[in-house]
Amino acid sequence: MARRKKIYEGKAKIMYEGPEPGTMVQYFKDDATAFNAEKKATIEGKGVLNNRLSEYFMTGMTQVGIPNHFIKRLNMREQLIRSVEIIPLEVIVRNFAAGSLSKRLGLVEGTPLPRPIVEFCYKDDALGDPLVSEEHIIAFGWATQQDLDDMIALALRVNDFMSGVMLAVGIKLVDFKIEIGRIWENDFHRLIIADEISPDSCRLWDIETGRKLDKDVFRRDLGSLSDAYTEVARRLGVLPTNVTHATKPTLIN
Ligand code: TMP
């Protein structure tokens, strides 16, 4: 993999030029950051788990017809994806109050919301990804009204899909963040899910115990982040074989 052209390096991933036009290779690092990179750590194995988990969710979305950038996993840390023109917005969907919504509106974390709430943040690290309204998005030309309608519809489909997948393994999907990109076909474009879907970008709570199984474990110093992500991967049956713990042989009578 020597001398590949690096296109972009972010906090948790690196993008390389892909083997064919219109493709990129997405590499998952072990780095974890929080609070706009004020807090940083390397969590051994996080990149491997997120590569597998994002593959699992994107593949499932493809199977139910939710368009996304995933093509195939290449190895433990890399996947081949379609290159898109990223819309500079973080799209957040919330089912229960938590995090910044709880702070902003004084809501107890875990309070069920009357319906899923979609929020947009403008992707700008220097500004700390501020919350923006649809008015801002249209006025500043980050997306058109049609894009916005499509983004909301896509985000709600992802929410239904992810909520069901998680419920099946005893996990509550509290909220999540996605990024969406444009794919151009002649003069027209359509929107697809890009970036990643992983416990870095979701809030996942065990339904029985309320145990946090997402990046809040790191943000709030609640224990081992890799144990939490491994638990999510184990429940979904997507643990890479060399990360599973060996068990003693059992005698068969
Ligand atoms: P928030 O409550 O901090 O606004 O986060 C909402 C959701 O978005 C939560 O699932 C975590 C995710 N998220 C990211 O993926 N990246 C970020 O930079 C932030 C702040 C949140």
Side-chain angles (χ1 to χ4, degrees):
M1 284 294 181
R3 266 191 258 149
R4 280 189 304 189
K5 188 171 164 212
K6 191 193 275 190
I7 296 171
Y8 173 78
E9 178 157 3
K11 284 176 280 208
K13 297 184 294 293
I14 308 173
M15 303 295 175
Y16 295 100
E17 200 170 66
E20 287 159 33
T23 66
M24 288 198 297
V25 173
Q26 177 163 256
Y27 176 100
F28 287 77
K29 303 196 278 188
D30 280 344
D31 298 348
T33 64
F35 315 119
N36 207 6
E38 261 174 48
K39 179 171 178 170
K40 288 185 208 174
T42 303
I43 314 286
E44 206 185 322
K46 178 174 87 81
V48 174
L49 288 165
N50 280 356
N51 186 24
R52 289 279 180 160
L53 285 165
S54 204
E55 171 192 19
Y56 181 78
F57 300 132
M58 297 281 179
T59 306
M61 291 200 303
T62 301
Q63 283 164 351
V64 300
I66 304 173
N68 66 81
H69 72 166
F70 183 81
I71 301 173
K72 65 171 180 182
R73 190 169 56 80
L74 298 171
N75 55 50
M76 295 284 277
R77 286 186 182 274
E78 294 178 329
Q79 46 185 249
L80 185 67
I81 56 169
R82 293 188 68 166
S83 30
V84 300
E85 181 185 297
I86 286 280
I87 295 174
L89 297 168
E90 299 199 331
V91 185
I92 293 166
V93 183
R94 302 179 184 271
N95 299 305
F96 297 85
S100 67
L101 178 70
S102 286
K103 273 215 185 95
R104 212 182 310 133
L105 300 184
L107 295 170
V108 173
E109 288 204 309
T111 307
L113 299 173
R115 46 170 247 189
I117 294 176
V118 181
E119 294 176 348
F120 299 95
C121 293
Y122 180 52
K123 267 171 70 69
D124 186 318
D125 281 343
L127 299 175
D129 298 340
L131 184 72
V132 291
S133 72
E134 297 193 21
E135 284 284 302
H136 297 122
I137 294 169
I138 305 289
F140 294 116
W142 299 321
T144 62
Q145 184 64 58
Q146 182 65 57
D147 286 338
L148 262 180
D149 295 346
D150 293 348
M151 287 168 82
I152 292 169
L154 265 178
L156 292 175
R157 288 178 77 190
V158 174
N159 187 43
D160 286 346
F161 170 78
M162 288 294 294
S163 295
V165 167
M166 289 304 173
L167 178 64
V169 295
I171 294 174
K172 179 148 88 178
L173 179 66
V174 173
D175 58 30
F176 66 91
K177 183 265 305 189
I178 50 172
E179 295 185 22
I180 293 175
R182 298 187 183 96
I183 296 223
W184 289 90
E185 277 148 11
N186 303 315
D187 283 344
F188 297 95
H189 72 259
R190 59 192 184 91
L191 303 186
I192 69 173
I193 309 295
D195 190 52
E196 72 180 296
I197 299 183
S198 76
D200 269 10
S201 53
C202 301
R203 282 199 173 90
L204 306 170
W205 296 359
D206 180 81
I207 286 175
E208 296 293 322
T209 65
R211 177 184 166 200
K212 291 182 178 24
L213 297 168
D214 57 67
K215 203 163 114 181
D216 272 349
V217 171
F218 170 72
R219 294 190 190 97
R220 304 178 185 190
D221 295 318
L222 300 175
S224 160
L225 192 71
S226 63
D227 283 0
Y229 287 22
T230 302
E231 177 63 14
V232 175
R234 188 191 64 75
R235 290 194 197 185
L236 294 169
V238 295
L239 261 193
T241 43
N242 69 340
V243 180
T244 44
H245 301 291
T247 49
K248 278 197 227 156
T250 323
L251 273 182
I252 299 167
N253 297 311

